[in-house]
Amino acid sequence: MNLETILYYLFLATMALSMAQGLFIGVLYFFRRTGERRANCFYGMLLLTFGATLAHNLMVLTGFCERHPQWHFLPIYFTLAFPPLLFYHVKLSLYPSYRFKPTDFKHFILPLMQFIFFVVMFFTDVTWKSQVGRRFFNPFFGALEQALYLGTFFAYLYFAWRYVKQKTQRLSNCTEARLTAYLRQFIRFFLLLFCVHVVFVVADFVCYEFFFINLRIVKPYAALGALSFAALLVWLGIYGFQVLWWGRKLLR
């Protein structure tokens, strides 16, 4: 077994472990008894959708989808759901008395349409999939989708950060102070990791569209780009584990 093969299996193991811990902790959040129940559910869904999307990336990177094209549109790709799920977790954690309004539904229109797109594509003919699949102007699976994913994530992170700052100025007890400190640390480090991930996504797009260089066939670059996404899920899992276990005493 040569070094390249060893590194490949280490990469797969890292990706698989990242996905497993995200899915496991995500499920636990639906059974968490402390904290705001809706905030827990949103964070659980965030971890589950991240883990499912990482599973999709693994299927693509390992060539599974190329060998079995009928599975390429398995509805486990949820990039457009990440931003609102994270935002509402932060908002409901800081303001548990908030009640949903009809206008809140607009935040989930794109994620819902993306899911419907994948469900429809999964059950259509393979030939049709190749014609309307991943395309530049496809808002659910293509270059436009990636732009929406990155742009909305930055926007929702900004608004989540504003809620944290706003709450910091109106703290009423030690529990709220500890909670905002947790969320501030969480968002800061997540934003740092997300910026690294953005560099890989944008560089891939620019090189392909303007210089006709497909960086996805460059194995080290493809691996690092995939790991930059997995790192986001790892941090979500670490933060989630802290709140589930170590954070229980701190947030009492």
Side-chain angles (χ1 to χ4, degrees):
M1 185 177 293
N2 56 33
L3 179 60
E4 183 178 349
T5 303
I6 294 173
L7 291 175
Y8 176 70
Y9 283 113
L10 283 175
F11 163 75
L12 292 183
T14 302
M15 295 282 283
L17 288 173
S18 302
M19 177 186 67
Q21 65 91 27
L23 294 175
F24 177 70
I25 296 175
V27 171
L28 291 181
Y29 258 82
F30 289 95
F31 300 97
R32 186 181 178 221
R33 295 181 179 179
T34 56
E36 214 284 333
R37 182 179 60 83
R38 295 170 301 166
N40 293 338
C41 290
F42 274 108
Y43 199 76
M45 285 298 299
L46 178 64
L47 285 163
L48 293 179
T49 53
F50 247 98
T53 305
L54 185 57
H56 169 89
N57 294 344
L58 263 175
M59 290 168 62
V60 173
L61 288 168
T62 57
F64 179 84
C65 291
E66 186 176 352
R67 296 189 299 271
H68 307 281
Q70 68 273 21
W71 294 99
H72 191 60
F73 287 92
L74 185 68
I76 57 172
Y77 189 79
F78 301 102
T79 54
L80 301 182
F82 304 155
L85 289 174
L86 186 147
F87 170 75
Y88 274 98
H89 165 70
V90 173
K91 182 175 183 177
L92 292 171
S93 297
L94 295 173
Y95 299 97
S97 61
Y98 179 79
R99 293 294 175 261
F100 285 106
K101 305 171 184 176
T103 53
D104 287 305
F105 177 73
K106 66 178 181 291
H107 296 281
F108 299 96
I109 293 176
L110 281 176
L112 180 61
M113 292 179 66
Q114 185 181 44
F115 176 70
I116 293 173
F117 168 79
F118 271 84
V119 170
V120 172
M121 291 297 293
F122 182 69
F123 290 103
T124 56
D125 184 76
V126 175
T127 305
W128 176 249
K129 292 178 183 180
S130 64
Q131 295 175 356
V132 298
R134 186 154 203 154
R135 293 292 183 265
F136 186 93
F137 291 106
N138 189 334
F140 310 120
F141 194 46
L144 181 56
E145 168 258 323
Q146 288 289 288
L148 288 171
Y149 156 59
L150 299 180
T152 56
F153 224 147
F154 273 120
Y156 278 98
L157 281 171
Y158 168 74
F159 289 119
W161 179 254
R162 284 190 60 182
Y163 272 115
V164 171
K165 288 190 65 176
Q166 184 183 67
K167 190 67 174 182
T168 303
Q169 297 169 357
R170 303 177 181 177
L171 296 175
S172 59
N173 53 59
C174 293
T175 300
E176 288 187 351
R178 295 186 183 112
L179 176 61
T180 54
Y182 255 59
L183 289 171
R184 186 165 54 247
Q185 177 191 18
F186 163 63
I187 295 174
R188 278 178 176 173
F189 197 69
F190 186 89
L191 180 59
L192 175 63
L193 293 175
F194 187 67
C195 287
V196 174
H197 174 60
V198 168
V199 170
F200 281 97
V201 175
V202 173
D204 177 41
F205 171 78
V206 171
C207 288
Y208 186 79
E209 294 295 332
F210 297 99
F211 301 103
F212 309 104
I213 300 173
N214 186 3
L215 291 177
R216 295 187 182 184
I217 64 175
V218 181
K219 292 181 180 179
Y221 184 90
L224 290 173
L227 289 173
S228 73
F229 181 83
L232 296 173
L233 179 56
V234 171
W235 174 240
L236 290 173
I238 291 173
Y239 169 79
F241 182 79
Q242 288 178 332
V243 174
L244 278 173
W245 301 105
W246 307 330
R248 287 187 300 174
K249 296 180 180 179
L250 293 175
L251 297 176
R252 284 176 183 173

